[in-house]
Amino acid sequence: MTTEKINSLKYRSLLSEGSRFLEERCDQINKLNVFPVPDGDTGDNMLMTLQSGLAETGADENLPLLCDSLSRGMLYGARGNSGVILSRFFYGMNSCISKCGDSFTADNFIAGLENGVSEAYAAVSSPKEGTILTVMRETTDAVKKESPADFETLFETAHTAAAQALKNTPEQLEVLKNAGVVDSGGAGFLCILEGMRSALDGKNISPVSAAKATVKELRGDEEMLGYCTEFLLQKMGGEPFSTDSFRKFLDSVGNSVVVFETGNIVKAHVHTFRPEEVLKEAHRFGEFLTLKIENMTVMHSKSTVENEFELLEKKNKYGLVAVACGDGIGKMLKSAGYTTVDGGRSMNPSSQDILRGIKQANAETVFVFPNHKNAFLAAKQAGEMCDFCKVLVVASQDIGHCYCAASAFDDSLPSEELVSRFEAAAKAVKTVNIAGAIRDCTENGVTVRKGDAVCFDKDRILLAENTAQDAAVKLFEHLDTPDVVIILTGEETSEGDASALESRLEELYPDTEFIMTDGGQPIYSYTLIIR
């Protein structure tokens, strides 16, 4: 027996099983990182993003509400580039199938896939072939070409196409080919499809309750959400109503927007700090059938209320927010004037985490420093979600750039000039990390053996030696003698090893000032900020 329609309960079970499959293969996906160091967490990012969406859903929600809840949860729980792309993909798909009433067909789902791909590509400023985007697009193209009438055939086609697209990723992206791996984000997407296909027969359906417990830890308080404003509006023949125009208006005053139209009924949902403006605009087109406004701000105590009120009344002109990984690094950046956001083990905070940091910065204009390529899209999405201040994301890719940028700060300058100054600071500093290799590889002409200490900056391996100390010393043989070097020690680096390295470098380079400090960063034995 084939499945020709899927309702909200079935759709939720498909995604739950997709989440379970992804969780089972999470460690394998994490290991598909290009660098031979254990900082890959694509699987974790995608899993937490999908779980965040599922945690917002209820078993008794109709299809439009389910799609709304899922998109909203994924939006706030998105982590890393892969998580943000996945959240945008499902946002596009859900915005399409949510308009299908109580259930959707294979044709509706294919249309949703197309819309999801468009949203995912739009989230990335410079899309590259050989990534999760390619796997999403080629999967959608294959399903669209076959145009199956039932979901069993649809998911079989999608799975085959995604597997082939994933297999081809090393031929499309040289860095994957050199590392001998397929794209990790594409692998995660394939796992989700496998789980959804498995759920069609109604077997092995995993409960959502476990995901809900996990996600609540991720989301923390929800003080930035404002007022959840939701209503049904019956059009009364007044001014002409346009769903697209009304959606643009809601986007301008809030976020987590869902608008759809059925006959003369309009359903709308938005999170906003200005619900009165939403109601005034909507009232132009008809009369409210239902109306719900809920204040989602979580107030823990009277002092919390007073502090929040004081912050809102006394905003600074500018604020600096930085993603930091490690207690020592956090303290260093705080001393430089930053509000810090914990990036977790691999600098991958969620959009909600960054939004919380923006709120804490308490400024009219906030500059956000992601400090890692995997945090950039989450920072960008947090900026788009923010409706209480102006957010400018600086293209910082490491801690050194961020630390150096603080010296370029001048609150008398316009924000655009400050962004230029901050971005120019990258030229004045070099940041290098040293970590243990977890596999053999050859990259950038450097042969790496498992267990070696690998020295790299951003996306390029510089050298590999037997020990972290030897790697650090070897690094300076290839550099002009610097004036100052800040050496941040990792959470597993002993004081004895750090002291021995400092003494060795001071002896070899007496004209350089070496500052050894506890960074507390995971994975990396040392992070060197060289000026």
Side-chain angles (χ1 to χ4, degrees):
M1 185 175 178
T2 58
T3 305
E4 296 183 357
K5 286 189 175 183
I6 288 178
N7 59 20
S8 61
L9 184 63
K10 189 66 175 179
Y11 183 42
R12 186 170 181 263
S13 71
L14 295 181
L15 293 175
S16 298
E17 193 69 354
S19 175
R20 188 179 73 83
F21 267 58
L22 184 59
E23 185 171 16
E24 287 181 349
R25 293 159 178 78
C26 208
D27 289 342
Q28 294 172 273
I29 295 170
N30 287 341
K31 292 177 181 177
L32 292 174
N33 53 321
V34 172
F35 275 1
V37 296
D39 65 348
D41 58 354
T42 297
D44 291 332
N45 288 336
M46 295 182 74
L47 177 62
M48 287 188 285
T49 299
L50 183 52
Q51 285 182 336
S52 184
L54 287 170
E56 288 297 313
T57 66
D60 57 347
E61 289 181 326
N62 60 33
L63 185 60
L65 287 177
L66 179 78
C67 291
D68 172 22
S69 300
L70 181 70
S71 296
R72 181 175 66 250
M74 292 184 73
L75 177 71
Y76 280 98
R79 290 174 179 256
N81 285 6
S82 55
V84 173
I85 290 171
L86 189 69
S87 73
R88 299 310 297 175
F89 174 82
F90 274 103
Y91 171 82
M93 187 165 73
N94 289 331
S95 66
C96 191
I97 65 175
S98 68
K99 302 173 184 177
C100 297
D102 295 331
S103 62
F104 56 90
T105 65
D107 284 343
N108 299 143
F109 191 71
I110 293 170
L113 291 174
E114 289 187 276
N115 202 39
V117 169
S118 296
E119 283 285 342
Y121 267 88
V124 181
S125 57
S126 300
K128 292 182 179 179
E129 292 303 308
T131 66
I132 183 176
L133 292 172
T134 305
V135 178
M136 288 174 168
R137 191 195 71 244
E138 292 187 0
T139 300
T140 300
D141 288 345
V143 173
K144 184 180 178 182
K145 181 179 179 180
E146 294 296 325
S147 191
D150 63 89
F151 282 94
E152 284 77 10
T153 306
L154 186 154
F155 278 107
E156 187 66 35
T157 302
H159 178 266
T160 301
Q164 185 59 53
L166 180 64
K167 184 178 179 181
N168 294 339
T169 54
E171 301 304 319
Q172 298 169 309
L173 203 56
E174 187 175 1
V175 68
L176 296 175
K177 187 174 184 179
N178 291 339
V181 295
V182 295
D183 178 68
S184 54
F189 182 69
L190 176 62
C191 283
I192 295 172
L193 288 177
E194 288 177 341
M196 294 176 75
R197 182 181 66 163
S198 172
L200 277 176
D201 59 10
K203 298 178 181 179
N204 299 320
I205 304 302
S206 55
V208 184
S209 56
K212 182 168 290 193
T214 302
V215 174
K216 286 307 176 185
E217 292 181 7
L218 295 177
R219 295 195 54 173
D221 69 70
E222 299 178 346
E223 61 185 359
M224 278 67 77
L225 300 181
Y227 295 87
C228 177
T229 305
E230 190 172 3
F231 57 82
L232 284 175
L233 183 79
Q234 183 174 1
K235 294 183 293 183
M236 301 296 289
E239 295 187 42
F241 179 83
S242 165
T243 302
D244 290 339
S245 296
F246 192 63
R247 181 180 293 113
K248 290 178 181 178
F249 164 75
L250 292 180
D251 285 332
S252 72
V253 297
N255 51 60
S256 193
V257 172
V258 174
V259 180
F260 62 91
E261 184 179 4
T262 304
N264 68 337
I265 302 298
V266 176
K267 167 69 176 179
H269 171 282
V270 62
H271 288 177
T272 179
F273 285 96
R274 295 175 284 173
E276 69 283 357
E277 294 185 22
V278 173
L279 301 185
K280 181 179 179 180
E281 178 68 14
H283 211 180
R284 292 171 47 205
F285 306 104
E287 296 296 330
F288 296 105
L289 297 178
T290 63
L291 175 61
K292 183 186 74 172
I293 300 177
E294 294 180 341
N295 188 338
M296 297 181 293
T297 301
V298 179
M299 299 299 185
H300 298 290
S301 65
K302 181 179 178 182
S303 61
T304 303
V305 175
E306 292 172 349
N307 289 337
E308 286 297 318
F309 180 76
E310 184 178 5
L311 288 177
L312 291 174
E313 290 297 316
K314 299 180 180 179
K315 278 195 172 183
N316 300 315
K317 179 180 178 182
Y318 291 134
L320 305 175
V321 171
V323 177
C325 190
D327 291 342
I329 290 177
K331 291 178 182 177
M332 181 184 74
L333 293 181
K334 285 177 182 177
S335 69
Y338 290 93
T339 296
T340 59
V341 176
D342 184 6
R345 288 192 61 79
S346 299
M347 302 291 283
N348 280 214
S350 69
S351 299
Q352 176 78 341
D353 293 334
I354 297 175
L355 190 61
R356 186 177 298 112
I358 294 170
K359 179 76 171 181
Q360 292 171 351
N362 185 38
E364 296 174 358
T365 299
V366 176
F367 303 92
V368 178
F369 292 75
N371 296 333
H372 196 286
K373 63 179 182 179
N374 285 344
F376 182 80
L377 283 183
K380 181 181 176 183
Q381 182 157 283
E384 293 171 351
M385 291 157 59
C386 180
D387 59 3
F388 47 81
C389 70
K390 180 179 180 181
V391 177
L392 298 172
V393 179
V394 181
S396 61
Q397 294 192 40
D398 52 57
I399 294 298
H401 178 185
C402 176
Y403 185 69
C404 186
S407 62
F409 178 66
D410 182 346
D411 64 4
S412 68
L413 298 175
S415 58
E416 292 75 13
E417 185 172 342
L418 281 174
V419 170
S420 297
R421 277 191 168 209
F422 292 152
E423 293 182 343
K427 298 178 181 178
V429 66
K430 183 178 183 67
T431 304
V432 178
N433 296 301
I434 301 175
I438 58 173
R439 60 176 170 80
D440 298 344
C441 80
T442 300
E443 177 69 31
N444 193 35
V446 180
T447 299
V448 179
R449 302 298 180 193
K450 182 178 180 180
D452 282 352
V454 180
C455 204
F456 58 94
D457 63 348
K458 297 186 180 70
D459 297 323
R460 186 173 57 127
I461 292 178
L462 303 175
L463 56 92
E465 294 290 326
N466 290 331
T467 69
Q469 186 177 137
D470 289 341
V473 172
K474 188 74 172 179
L475 170 69
F476 287 97
E477 295 179 7
H478 299 276
L479 301 175
D480 294 333
T481 303
D483 295 323
V484 179
V485 178
I486 299 174
I487 304 177
L488 301 166
T489 60
E491 63 180 1
E492 297 183 1
T493 303
S494 69
E495 290 185 13
D497 287 345
S499 179
L501 173 59
E502 185 177 22
S503 298
R504 190 173 173 186
L505 290 174
E506 287 177 340
E507 182 180 351
L508 291 171
Y509 304 97
D511 295 330
T512 298
E513 179 183 2
F514 292 96
I515 303 172
M516 186 76 68
T517 186
D518 178 20
Q521 71 272 15
I523 301 174
Y524 304 151
S525 302
Y526 298 101
T527 294
L528 294 85
I529 301 174
I530 305 167
R531 299 184 68 177

